[in-house]
Amino acid sequence: MIKFEKWHGNGNDFVIINSIEQKIKLKKSFIKDIADRNKGVGFDQLIHVCLPTKDNKDFFVRFYNSDGSEAGMCLNGIRCASKYVWKNAFAPLGNIRIQTKTRNLLCSTASKNKASVLVDYPSSINEIDLYKKIKRKVNREFFLSNIGNNHLCIKMNSIEKVDLILIYQDLEKLIKKFDINLSIFKKTKASVDIRTYENGVGETLSCGSASLSVASHYLNKGFKSMKISSMGGDLILPKTKKPSFVVWAQKDKNGAPLQRIQIIKG
């Protein structure tokens, strides 16, 4: 019998299991069976918390979509995974270093009921041919972004009555091979309404990495903060005023005591 817990982050729902208490080998058929919302438990993604494969990390967290495919990252999921770790006393309250398939993250307890994640700003996806092909189909402002997983974000005047599935199906042959999720959004002043179709899942109530991709797009243009609203709830994302550094250091067992660390701007 496999122990599991059901969690959600901003409406994005997960089943969380771990290979710390018992060794678990996951099969695609097993993941799909559990994901069935009628005959199984139901979830957007299955989160598997494992022991790290790197010496300087505390945990390795993997994400599986409801169709059994693996996702590189999930921002709502990583917040749930970190709280799951603290709740089950796999690590004391405080900073934990988590590796995912595509990112290294630092999670900390922002307050009693909140977890914060330190993550790098999203980067652009520099696929010129793909951009040109999408532009032929999408006669609107859009951008491509990577934050551990890939996103196509399309700006619209209204998103409430838009057939998101139809848009995804029209673009699927172009974007699925790049594991690109699709988001449509409407911007008004310093807030954004967003809907997301995630590969291997479908439309979800919320997608944290899509929200951060859109927010950073505007924060880089001078906005001080952005409110991102999805069907699952709101996320307030402030712009970082100054860079922060997280440094881990380990003394050489055969060397002198570690006395200082020098950070050089390059």
Side-chain angles (χ1 to χ4, degrees), residues 64-234:
Y64 295 92
N65 299 315
S66 55
D67 70 349
S69 60
E70 187 171 4
M73 232 278 284
C74 176
L75 197 57
N76 284 331
I78 207 69
R79 293 189 296 121
C80 290
S82 60
K83 290 198 68 177
Y84 170 87
V85 164
W86 293 316
K87 172 183 174 291
N88 288 280
F90 296 141
L93 285 174
N95 293 342
I96 51 174
R97 302 161 297 179
I98 292 179
Q99 64 176 117
T100 70
K101 185 179 178 181
T102 57
R103 282 289 190 274
N104 295 317
L105 307 166
L106 179 72
C107 301
S108 58
T109 49
S111 66
K112 183 179 179 181
N113 296 315
K114 293 182 180 180
S116 67
V117 182
L118 183 64
V119 60
D120 291 335
Y121 265 83
S123 58
S124 299
I125 300 174
N126 297 316
E127 293 284 346
I128 297 174
D129 289 341
L130 174 63
Y131 186 90
K132 289 179 179 178
K133 289 175 182 178
I134 293 173
K135 192 172 182 180
R136 294 190 195 108
K137 286 182 170 287
V138 178
N139 189 26
R140 299 176 184 275
E141 179 185 339
F142 72 89
F143 62 90
L144 293 163
S145 179
N146 174 274
I147 187 172
N149 47 15
N150 297 322
H151 292 277
L152 166 61
C153 304
I154 304 173
K155 185 180 181 183
M156 295 186 169
N157 294 326
S158 176
I159 65 171
E160 290 82 3
K161 297 181 180 180
V162 174
D163 191 335
L164 184 58
I165 296 176
L166 190 63
I167 297 174
Y168 180 83
Q169 289 173 342
D170 186 45
L171 294 166
E172 185 174 5
K173 289 183 179 180
L174 291 178
I175 66 177
K176 190 169 184 179
K177 61 184 178 181
F178 293 95
D179 291 325
I180 296 176
N181 299 317
L182 171 67
S183 290
I184 56 175
F185 68 93
K186 177 183 72 175
K187 181 183 174 298
T188 55
K189 294 184 179 180
S191 66
V192 167
D193 295 330
I194 189 170
R195 291 172 58 193
T196 301
Y197 189 105
E198 298 189 51
N199 274 317
V201 182
E203 183 170 6
T204 56
L205 293 180
S206 176
C207 177
S209 55
S211 297
L212 183 55
S213 292
V214 174
S216 65
H217 181 72
Y218 288 104
L219 293 174
N220 285 333
K221 293 184 177 182
F223 287 83
K224 293 182 179 179
S225 67
M226 292 297 300
K227 176 184 176 184
I228 312 294
S229 299
S230 64
M231 290 184 288
D234 299 334

